Structures are given as structure tokens and as C-alpha cells.
Amino acid sequence: QDLETAEIVLGVGMAIGGQDGIARIRGWAERLGAGLAASRRVVDAGWLPRQHQVGLTGRGIAPRLYLAVGMNGNAYHAAGVRRAGWITAVNPSPSPALAAMSDEVLRGDWQVLLPPLVEALEEAVRPAR
């Protein structure tokens, strides 16, 4: 999904741990028809290509929902998502910067919290039959 047009974007930070975390989150993004964004540090580590970078040194996006997973919430990244309709952060120990940029903070392990959240979102975005 293109980051500029995605209604939902899952953004990943260094706390997701590496390529295994990227693969899991990419799978959930695909299920939701969502975009996949990254912090500069994730891109610099080579976990995702530069076109996924969101922030002051990347691109700005404006999804209806931005899920910040394993982010630290620094000002450079926050600048790229300031036009998001709603920001939910998922982090076991959110920094004050992450809390400040978010509308909602889910404290805990993303591997535990994200599956039911994605399932609920999947139900919400699934077309009526």
C-alpha cells in the first residue's frame, strides 16, 4: 500500500527487534491493506528500504490511523506523522516524547498487543457482505 494514500499505516521502530519483527508486521499490514512505515534508524539498519522512512528526513504522511510499533517518538519521526488522524503507540515503556505524539498508548509487548488489535481492525475494515 502506498504510504501517501493508505488509510492505516503501521510504523516500525528499532524496538521490534529486526527482520523477524518486520516480517510479522508486514504480514499484518498486508491483511489490513495498510502501509508500512519506518523510523530513520530502522532504514539506516537496513531493515526496510528508504521509501518506507517517515519523518523530518523522510516523508510526511496523513493516514486516518497510524500505529507506532516499537518507536521512541522522537521529534524527527513525529514531524512526519503530525497530520495523522489518530496515533496509537504500542510500546512496553513509552518515552515522554512517544506519549506526547500519540493519542493513545498501549503499554506492553507488541507481539502480544498487536494480534488482537489487528484482528479488531480487520473486522472494522472488512466490507459488509
Side-chain angles (χ1 to χ4, degrees), residues 89-126:
V90 180
N91 194 304
S93 56
S95 67
L98 182 64
M101 75 174 250
S102 303
D103 296 294
E104 171 181 48
V105 176
L106 302 177
R107 296 175 195 273
D109 185 342
W110 67 267
Q111 296 180 72
V112 173
L113 295 173
L114 222 46
L117 181 58
V118 168
E119 189 174 311
L121 287 170
E122 199 173 26
E123 288 291 320
V125 299
R126 183 176 296 136

Side-chain angles (χ1 to χ4, degrees), residues 4 6 20 23 27 37 47 53 59 66-67 73-77 80 85 95-96 101-102 104 112 114 128:
E4 272 79 29
D20 290 341
W47 296 355
Q53 184 177 331
R59 65 200 325 175
Y66 183 70
L67 296 174
N74 72 41
Y76 293 106
H77 187 77
S95 67
M101 75 174 250
S102 303
E104 171 181 48
V112 173
L114 222 46

Side-chain angles (χ1 to χ4, degrees), residues 17-50:
Q19 292 295 340
D20 290 341
I22 295 283
R24 290 189 67 199
I25 293 169
R26 183 189 308 273
W28 288 321
E30 289 171 0
R31 281 176 47 189
L32 293 171
L36 181 62
S39 69
R40 182 189 55 79
R41 290 184 60 211
V42 166
V43 170
D44 287 349
W47 296 355
L48 282 170
R50 184 99 22 222

